[in-house]
Amino acid sequence: MSHFSDRIQFYPLKNLLEHISSPDELRRLDPDDLPRLAKETRGFIIDIVATKEGHLGASLGTVELTIALHYVFDTPDDKLIWDVGHQAYGHKILTGRKSIFDTNRQLGGISGFPRRTESEYDAFGTGHSSTSISAILGMAIASRLQENTERQHIAVIGDASIASGMAFEALNHLGSTDANVLVILNDNAIGIDPSVGALKKYLTNVKKGTAKEENIFECLNLAYTGPIDGHDISQLLPELERLKSVRGPRLLHVITTKGKGLEKAEIDQVTYHAPGRFDRFSGEREPSTDNELPLKYQDVFGHTLVELAENNPKITGITPAMPTGSSLKYMMAEFPKRAFDVGIAEQHAVTLAAGMATQGLMPFCVIYSTFLQRAYDQVIHDVALQNLPVIFCIDRAGIVGQDGATHNGIYDMAYLRCIPNLVLFAPMNETELRNGMFTAQLGLPHPIAIRYPRGRGVQQEWRTTFETIEIGSSRELRKGSKIAILSIGHIGNSIAEAIEAFEAGQIGHYDMRFVKPLDKKRLYTIFEHYDFVISIEDGCKAGGFGSAVLEIANEMGHANKLIIMGIDDLFLEHGTAGEVRHLAKIDAEALKNRIKILLDE
Ligand SMILES: Cc1ncc(C[n+]2csc(CCOP(=O)(O)OP(=O)(O)O)c2C)c(N)n1
Ligand SMILES: CC(=O)[C@@H](O)[C@H](O)COP(=O)(O)O
Ligand SMILES: [Mg+2]
């Protein structure tokens, strides 16, 4: 189908976007109208994200590219994958989700990332980075085997995401095939934080025309074109048309600006990656009203690490591409030679830490729970098997809220507790986090993972004096007689509050601190003493903390006393963290209901 026939003249209409509900309608526009559509789409994104929040900068940067791709290619028959997917808001708006875009990331609303179940235009579900080239190559191979020679296959991937191991593995494979794949490298020279590494330097040289080497993509057998201006539709259209007319592995390098079209977002690209609420005209972020609230766990981690590093020269810090999110940025500022942002490279981050540990360093390797999933083998094979004392700080553990199913950190307790040698600790508050970090750097004979959630702690005074925590010890927070509640980590705070409603002396509460090793002695006493025991965790029930307690209860012949509260065997959707916890029945209300039922028995 030619996109240049059957055009509709929209000139009398003030708002083009109002009349575009699908790429079919988009393709009927005159090409000269597309810049106007881009402006309107950008405005639409800004209007919604200003109040509903979400990923702003990346999507503002891909508006023209999105329009050009859907204009030139025959989506959804042609397959289009957005790597990470946080830049796909324009894609969602133009592929039938404009009227519900204001539900983005809200409970019951559309996902903040592409999803196959949400639209036929979402060829592949994303959220974690650097998967797009593998997936699109898989689709291209399938088209070939199914004798579909017409279908086009396109992956859009950012400059930070293409530097990740998975993307390189896929390029390595792609270049050895004649698969019909077009990779679009959306190069804005930044990830969430500024891009790092040798590839970033190389891409900068390519842009300046000063790359001395052969083109790296050409060397990998991809037909390279670019760089071109990714905001100039008059450049994008003819180049995409040309690329559509040829076959084989191709890479188009486009240069874009993260945050394009909103001055503040262009200037402060790190903050405006996901800025929270802001004024849609000025871009000014809503002033924070929570100055009185406790600090975020991330900041407690970041400042504590600096404090410890000042006194312990063996400490190093490692983050795979999340220095701001994890607050490793504080150590990077204070000790630039000892703190490393390695880019989106979770596997490398873990094995890098292992290497450092072999030489007597004490690496704090801070990784979001959900992204550590990618480095599972490295945790087992490179760290635990060699019993290297790497200190994992597992950020965003538990329910993360609006990022939803792709980002929830609810599997780590299950996937880590089965690994020999590994200690697994979950602090209930800031003091516990600090003391856990302090204890770890005293020199443990094992690797340790310290898991803590996204967001704020509970203490105003967090800069407490350090104390050592005995590995495998728990804390009795409240004595009881009938029902014992065993909590792990931050969730214990809402539990402590919930049980205040019950008569003193009935309900006991224990902060178990360690998923591994469990405080067996304490558990033996508890199971002997109480009629019922409830374990509660912000992780999956299968194989998690409650399962570990059940193993001990079973040893004692008391398995029938235990009720496990945790996340059922399903993927949790997006919503505020509170809403999702409520739906998952791991909040204070669910616990109170359980207790009431047991007390009535
Ligand atoms: C495996 C994994 N690690 C980390 C992240 C967190 N993350 C999301 S977007 C992003 C930066 C992506 O940068 P780039 O690919 O350049 O895209 P841009 O945001 O610039 O459009 C990172 C690190 C992730 N989604 N997946
Ligand atoms: C798209 C992505 O993976 C990140 O931007 C993620 O949403 C960051 O999460 P936090 O907001 O918890 O840092
Ligand atoms: Mg980028």
Side-chain angles (χ1 to χ4, degrees):
M1 183 187 84
S2 161
H3 301 295
F4 299 101
S5 61
D6 196 21
R7 274 180 213 142
I8 286 181
Q9 288 294 329
F10 278 105
Y11 289 112
L13 300 170
K14 263 181 112 178
N15 191 331
L16 285 182
L17 184 59
E18 225 171 77
H19 301 274
I20 305 293
S21 306
S22 70
D24 276 343
E25 287 168 351
L26 164 69
R27 288 175 202 129
R28 294 169 69 200
L29 288 179
D30 189 290
D32 292 342
D33 283 333
L34 298 183
R36 207 169 112 202
L37 180 68
K39 202 169 166 204
E40 291 176 16
T41 306
R42 191 167 268 122
F44 191 85
I45 293 172
I46 291 173
D47 278 0
I48 303 280
V49 179
T51 55
K52 298 293 169 92
E53 306 185 18
H55 290 102
L56 180 69
S59 281
L60 291 185
T62 53
V63 170
E64 288 81 8
L65 182 60
T66 305
I67 290 172
L69 282 168
H70 284 294
Y71 195 77
V72 170
F73 290 97
D74 190 18
T75 54
D77 189 50
D78 286 345
K79 300 300 166 200
L80 171 61
I81 302 183
W82 297 93
D83 204 275
V84 182
H86 63 315
Q87 77 292 58
Y89 289 2
H91 162 84
K92 291 206 171 204
I93 290 162
L94 295 168
T95 55
R97 286 162 278 183
K98 185 178 54 189
S99 64
I100 50 171
F101 188 64
D102 63 345
T103 69
N104 190 32
R105 292 160 54 93
Q106 318 286 310
L107 187 70
I110 59 171
S111 165
F113 302 103
R115 273 205 165 180
R116 284 168 56 77
T117 49
E118 202 177 280
S119 165
E120 60 180 336
Y121 290 92
D122 293 2
F124 199 69
T126 46
H128 288 202
S129 82
S130 319
T131 59
S132 61
I133 305 175
S134 299
I136 207 72
L137 178 55
M139 290 177 193
I141 289 172
S143 296
R144 168 78 51 85
L145 292 174
Q146 291 156 5
E147 293 176 7
N148 184 336
T149 52
E150 289 304 305
R151 180 170 288 150
Q152 297 285 351
H153 312 87
I154 307 125
V156 181
I157 183 164
D159 52 296
S161 299
I162 205 168
S164 176
M166 257 203 92
F168 263 90
E169 290 166 31
L171 286 172
N172 187 42
H173 182 189
L174 174 61
S176 70
T177 72
D178 61 353
N180 186 24
V181 167
L182 169 61
V183 176
I184 299 195
L185 169 57
N186 174 34
D187 184 356
N188 53 21
I190 190 165
I192 295 179
D193 291 275
S195 294
V196 294
L199 187 70
K200 183 227 163 87
K201 215 173 232 172
Y202 169 77
L203 290 175
T204 308
N205 289 343
V206 169
K207 278 179 274 186
K208 289 182 188 156
T210 56
K212 291 191 191 76
E213 310 84 358
E214 286 178 89
N215 181 285
I216 192 171
F217 301 108
E218 292 280 359
C219 292
L220 289 171
N221 207 27
L222 274 70
Y224 172 93
T225 47
I228 64 168
D229 180 351
H231 298 301
D232 184 349
I233 290 180
S234 70
Q235 285 188 47
L236 285 169
L237 289 186
E239 185 52 20
L240 290 175
E241 285 289 354
R242 189 191 69 74
L243 286 163
K244 188 176 145 184
S245 69
V246 291
R247 292 286 184 272
R250 293 146 285 163
L251 185 138
L252 172 64
H253 188 176
V254 302
I255 308 301
T256 59
T257 303
K258 201 158 174 172
K260 179 77 176 172
L262 186 69
E263 197 184 357
K264 283 203 161 15
E266 287 189 31
I267 293 169
D268 185 356
Q269 296 179 332
V270 174
T271 304
Y272 283 78
H273 173 78
R277 287 174 193 225
F278 60 92
D279 182 275
R280 67 197 176 106
F281 299 110
S282 68
E284 199 72 55
R285 295 170 72 218
E286 264 191 16
S288 166
T289 52
D290 48 16
N291 296 335
E292 302 297 307
L293 295 176
L295 222 55
K296 290 179 180 160
Y297 277 103
Q298 289 61 44
D299 286 336
V300 174
F301 157 80
H303 292 306
T304 302
L305 190 59
V306 171
E307 222 175 312
L308 294 171
E310 271 160 5
N311 297 311
N312 184 345
K314 290 183 179 169
I315 289 178
T316 56
I318 300 171
T319 171
M322 306 302 275
T324 299
S326 71
S327 291
L328 190 75
K329 64 179 180 184
Y330 298 123
M331 183 172 178
M332 289 167 67
E334 288 294 321
F335 300 103
K337 292 201 172 135
R338 290 161 59 192
F340 306 87
D341 173 2
V342 297
I344 306 179
E346 288 79 9
Q347 303 175 354
H348 165 63
V350 171
T351 305
L352 180 74
M356 289 179 180
T358 63
Q359 302 307 305
L361 295 182
M362 288 183 177
F364 278 72
C365 185
V366 55
I367 305 190
Y368 285 20
S369 169
T370 191
F371 302 141
L372 185 63
Q373 290 162 192
R374 191 164 278 188
Y376 192 47
D377 182 56
Q378 286 71 12
V379 174
I380 297 176
H381 177 272
D382 298 336
V383 177
L385 180 60
Q386 306 188 77
N387 204 12
L388 294 168
V390 170
I391 301 158
F392 292 107
C393 291
I394 305 186
D395 194 347
R396 270 51 169 194
I399 289 165
V400 294
Q402 283 156 331
D403 272 346
T406 51
H407 283 61
N408 279 322
I410 58 180
Y411 308 107
D412 56 80
M413 287 190 277
Y415 74 65
L416 291 176
R417 110 176 159 80
C418 56
I419 303 176
N421 289 337
L422 188 69
V423 173
L424 180 49
F425 170 65
M428 183 167 148
N429 55 38
E430 295 90 319
T431 304
E432 288 281 298
L433 172 58
R434 280 168 62 75
N435 288 342
M437 292 172 67
F438 172 73
T439 305
Q441 59 84 55
L442 291 176
L444 294 180
H446 296 294
I448 182 170
I450 304 175
R451 79 182 296 270
Y452 48 90
R454 183 179 201 270
R456 296 182 188 280
V458 289
Q459 298 173 314
Q460 294 294 349
E461 288 303 319
W462 62 271
R463 217 182 258 278
T464 45
T465 318
F466 290 121
E467 283 176 23
T468 309
I469 293 179
E470 188 190 333
I471 300 297
S473 65
S474 60
R475 299 190 301 155
E476 181 176 69
L477 301 180
R478 176 167 146 151
K479 271 193 200 318
S481 55
K482 203 168 161 55
I483 303 172
I485 317 292
L486 313 180
S487 64
I488 187 78
H490 175 80
I491 197 171
N493 298 295
S494 55
I495 302 314
E497 227 179 282
I499 61 177
E500 272 173 21
F502 295 93
E503 202 179 294
Q506 281 190 313
I507 319 289
H509 182 195
Y510 300 85
D511 167 23
M512 292 306 293
R513 277 182 166 161
F514 291 87
V515 179
K516 188 177 183 179
L518 267 175
D519 188 344
K520 272 195 176 186
K521 208 168 143 207
R522 174 88 71 192
L523 287 178
Y524 269 66
T525 315
I526 290 172
F527 276 102
E528 288 297 347
H529 180 73
Y530 285 90
D531 298 340
F532 299 103
V533 178
I534 300 177
S535 71
I536 185 156
E537 64 200 288
D538 60 348
C540 61
K541 266 198 244 178
F545 164 66
S547 287
V549 175
L550 180 61
E551 286 161 18
I552 310 289
N554 192 44
E555 264 174 39
M556 297 181 65
H558 283 319
N560 58 341
K561 283 190 179 181
L562 179 66
I563 292 149
I564 298 176
M565 293 181 71
I567 294 160
D568 286 329
D569 189 17
L570 45 83
F571 288 108
L572 293 179
E573 296 300 341
H574 43 278
T576 66
E579 288 167 340
V580 180
R581 267 194 292 273
H582 181 66
L583 287 179
K585 296 200 179 68
I586 55 164
D587 61 351
E589 188 184 325
L591 180 74
K592 281 187 200 169
N593 290 339
R594 272 300 173 110
I595 293 176
K596 279 181 198 152
I597 293 169
L598 291 178
L599 288 177
D600 287 346
E601 273 182 15

